[in-house]
Each structure stands twice: as C-alpha cells, then as structure tokens.
Amino acid sequence: MKINPPMLLQISRSYIKLVKADNFQRCFGRHYSNTETPTTNSIVNASLAVPISASSMESDNSKKKATDSTRVSKIVLYSFWQSSCSWRVRFALNLKGLSYEYRAVNLGKGEQFTSEFDKLNPLHYVPVLVDGDVVISDSYAILLYLEEKYHQRPLLPVEPQLRALNLQAASIVSSNMQPLHMLSVLRYMEERVGPEEKQLWAKFHIQKGFGALEKLLTGSAGKYATGDEVYMADVFLAPQIAVATKRFNIDMSEFPTLRKIYDSCEALPEFQASLPERQPDAPP
C-alpha cells in the first residue's frame, strides 16, 4: 500500500485521536507497552474502525461495576452463641444476605484469651469480623462497615433524622446498657458483692435504658423502631430485649413500643436464623 503525504497526515491525526480516546486499547484489539509502537497497518485499520458509542462504553462500565460489587471476599465471624453483641452481627449479616463462616469462641472456657485471638482483639471480646484483610472487633463498628461496603438491604435510612435516630438507639444499647451486664462485669460484681446484687445491678441499668428508648422511639415507631422497615435500631434492640426477658426477667409490658418492635423482629426468618440456640456452638 502506497501512502502519500496527505494520507500520512490523516493517519497521524487519527493516531493522535486514538491515543487520547478511552477506547484506544479496544480499537487496536491488544495492549501496547510503553516501548512498543503500533504499525502503520494497525493505525490505518484503527482509523477505519467503527467508533465505539458512549452508551456501549457506559454499558460495559456498568457491567464491570456490577461484577465488582458482587465479588465478595470470605467473611469470618468469631462469635459466642450467648453473646448479644455477636447476635446483632449475625442478624445484620442475615438481613444483608451475606454468607459467612462461623468460628466459635467459648467465653466460658476462656478461649478469648488465647494468643491467636489476642491478635484479633486485644480486648478479648466477641464478636470479631474478618473480611479479607479487614479485621473489626466491635459490633457497632462492624455494622457500620457492613453498611458502607455491602449496600444491599440498607440498615440505615436515607432521611437524616431517621438515620440519626437509628444510630442513637443503637448507641444506647451498645454503650449504656449491654456493657453494664456483660459476662465479665457480672462475674466481677458477683465476686465483690454477691449474686443478688449482681442481678439488681443488671436489671436497674437495663430498665433505665429501656425507659429512655421507649420515650425516644414512641413517636417514630411503626412496625419497627423507625417505621415499617427494619433498620439498625431494630438489629440492636431485638437481641437486647430477648436477653433482658430471658436472662434477667424484665417485664416488657412496661415498654409497649419496644415489645411491639421485638414481636415484629421475632417473626423475621433472618432473626430466627440468628437465635443463640441455633448456633453451632450452642449446647444440645
């Protein structure tokens, strides 16, 4: 093929356009390294190629994003069947439809103090969630992480006020209630003041928290804590209510709004699957 000067100029201009274009690699059909120069024939063929439309490129990009979003690393949950903090995370993972490997940590036998577990959480508490290279050892942080990374079945509403209300309710449970009746605290209380005082201590703080939550959620509650969709407030509340009634004999008739929320959560298959007695380390 004889190339005259006008054609060479046209080819050069086409080549410059192709270098700048996002579809350069697709037009040539292969990747050129920094030291490799396309041949004249490849330039001519590329200049005669049918341009790739923007809609086609957007479609391909959308497919790539969809593929990336569905590529889930292996999630591992270190849990103890009786832990209400672990229960929250199991409930959340089920709601989001995320499969995970359950690794039991027997708190009664002190398995949280092993050197292996110390590397995961120096505080020696469960749950711990491992997602690829990410290790998180707090249920509140775990749920926020899951919400940020896995967008299916959102656990926080879009509306700012309801979003803040969910975070506030979850914080009351995780910061002002559960830490005051966790296993290690109750053991310490029993050693210092006896079993009766231990129970009174736990019941006092649970009832105080429920009283605040009842007032906080009465105006916003529907089927669930902040309407008719299950969100983070419900994920924290339902296990806390179950523990309060079964382990500490709290009468939930004093908290009708919370009782209704629990009844709605209890009917969910995702909640049923997260029940303590259904976990692999639960006693037969």
Side-chain angles (χ1 to χ4, degrees), residues 5-6 8 13-14 28 30 33-34 46 62 77 87 91 98 103 105 118 163 166 180 190 194 228 232 235 252:
L8 183 60
R13 288 173 178 172
S14 299
F28 286 125
R30 65 186 183 93
S33 68
N34 293 333
S62 299
L77 177 66
W87 191 349
F91 189 15
L98 296 170
R103 294 190 185 176
V105 180
D118 182 75
R163 193 180 187 91
N166 272 272
L180 298 172
E190 185 171 359
D228 293 328
M232 190 176 290
V235 172
M252 293 304 297

Side-chain angles (χ1 to χ4, degrees), residues 17 71 86 93 113 153 157 172 181 195-196 201 232-233 244 251 254 273:
K17 289 180 181 180
R71 188 182 295 116
S86 300
L93 287 167
F113 298 111
R153 187 75 179 268
I172 289 174
H181 66 75
E196 290 184 5
W201 162 275
M232 190 176 290
D251 182 8
E254 300 178 28

Side-chain angles (χ1 to χ4, degrees), residues 9-35:
L9 179 61
Q10 180 182 358
I11 291 171
S12 299
R13 288 173 178 172
S14 299
Y15 174 69
I16 292 170
K17 289 180 181 180
L18 286 168
V19 170
K20 292 181 179 180
D22 290 337
N23 62 347
F24 174 74
Q25 180 179 343
R26 194 181 309 184
C27 286
F28 286 125
R30 65 186 183 93
H31 174 72
Y32 292 103
S33 68
N34 293 333
T35 59

Side-chain angles (χ1 to χ4, degrees), residues 186-245:
L186 294 182
R187 282 178 176 171
Y188 180 87
M189 292 288 296
E190 185 171 359
E191 291 172 1
R192 297 296 186 275
V193 297
E196 290 184 5
E197 288 296 325
K198 173 190 75 174
Q199 286 295 108
L200 290 174
W201 162 275
K203 292 183 73 169
F204 170 79
H205 289 289
I206 292 171
Q207 289 173 325
K208 180 182 178 181
F210 281 163
L213 287 163
E214 181 75 17
K215 293 177 181 178
L216 181 69
L217 299 174
T218 297
S220 65
K223 188 177 181 181
Y224 301 102
T226 55
D228 293 328
E229 296 291 335
V230 57
Y231 287 124
M232 190 176 290
D234 308 289
V235 172
F236 277 76
L237 272 171
Q240 178 63 57
I241 293 170
V243 168
T245 56

